[in-house]
Amino acid sequence: MDFSHEKITKINFVTKIKSHSYSISIYCSLIELAKSFHTLISNEDYTGSLSVYRTFLENYVELINLIDDDNYLKHIELEFHEHKLRTLKSAKNGNVYLKSLVEIVGTEIPKKEVLIKDIKRELGIKNSYRIKDKFSMANMLREYEAVYAELCSEAHCNLGSLFTRHFEYNEAKKQIGVSIYNQDVAEKHSIYVSILAVQLIDAGIRIVSSLDPKLKPEFESLKQNFDEQHLAINT
């Protein structure tokens, strides 16, 4: 994480090229999210940490697709405009939280609808990508079906997550109790610490390979050192 934070200031890219700026922005988000995750885990505040990792993983998938597919930039922009259109329509329908937008819905909704239609026609699609589609494009369908599904359960008020966080079984008394700040979940979270580290390193390698190849050896050296340390720990 410290390495990524240091090196990002040394990556040369063309700000006028949108895909470059978007890629760097996502990488910035990955570094910040990694820090947030690390801070929570270090403080043993486990509840919410996997929701942070879920956001990290979604950003990681976006970065892979943006770098690998020249058309993916348009998909990101399509999703942005569709979100704005939903917000404008909600304002038009009387959403009390969106009163400030009411005066522009008459002109902005038609503009957004035309823009969205044009992007879909250019891409040759009828609907924007679902999250599963994005993972599939990044060759991470297995991660979607296993890891991401677990992270979503953690983010929502899922019964399994509630049991994991707050229910404890007392073997001696044969009783189930409810606890707060349950430290028994620490072991469950340890695997995500390693996975996030690997993905942050990989994200850096992808960024410099695409934007500033002269830095690639430094990132690959970090990956090699990490792999060697990880192997030593496991053996």
Side-chain angles (χ1 to χ4, degrees), residues 159-194:
L159 190 58
S161 296
L162 292 178
F163 280 134
T164 301
R165 293 180 202 143
H166 303 300
F167 284 74
E168 293 179 322
Y169 180 67
N170 187 313
E171 179 66 32
K173 295 181 179 181
K174 304 298 182 183
Q175 292 179 344
I176 295 176
V178 177
S179 66
I180 188 169
Y181 299 115
N182 183 359
Q183 299 304 303
D184 292 341
V185 302
E187 184 177 352
K188 177 185 175 183
H189 286 58
S190 62
I191 182 62
Y192 295 108
V193 175
S194 297

Side-chain angles (χ1 to χ4, degrees), residues 140-153:
M140 294 180 62
L141 195 55
R142 289 181 300 177
E143 286 83 354
Y144 172 81
E145 294 173 346
V147 178
Y148 188 72
E150 181 70 16
L151 297 175
C152 288
S153 295

Side-chain angles (χ1 to χ4, degrees), residues 72-84 115-117 119-120 123 125-129:
Y72 198 75
L73 178 65
K74 285 291 182 182
H75 288 280
I76 292 177
E77 292 177 341
L78 173 61
E79 189 173 3
F80 170 78
H81 292 303
E82 287 181 330
H83 170 74
K84 290 298 183 181
L115 184 57
I116 289 169
K117 184 177 180 180
I119 296 175
K120 286 184 176 180
L123 292 172
I125 61 174
K126 293 183 178 180
N127 299 302
S128 56
Y129 285 136

Side-chain angles (χ1 to χ4, degrees), residues 20-39:
H20 287 200
S21 294
Y22 288 7
S23 296
I24 286 292
S25 296
I26 295 174
Y27 188 42
C28 288
S29 290
L30 290 173
I31 295 171
E32 291 182 3
L33 288 162
K35 182 179 180 181
S36 297
F37 180 79
H38 179 265
T39 299

Side-chain angles (χ1 to χ4, degrees), residues 12 17 25 28 34 72 84 100 115 133 136 154 179 205 216:
N12 291 319
I17 299 178
S25 296
C28 288
Y72 198 75
K84 290 298 183 181
S100 61
L115 184 57
D133 299 325
S136 181
E154 172 71 19
S179 66
I205 292 174
K216 188 176 179 180

Side-chain angles (χ1 to χ4, degrees), residues 106-123:
T107 56
E108 290 301 313
I109 287 179
K111 288 181 182 178
K112 289 295 181 186
E113 289 175 336
V114 170
L115 184 57
I116 289 169
K117 184 177 180 180
D118 288 343
I119 296 175
K120 286 184 176 180
R121 182 170 55 246
E122 182 180 349
L123 292 172

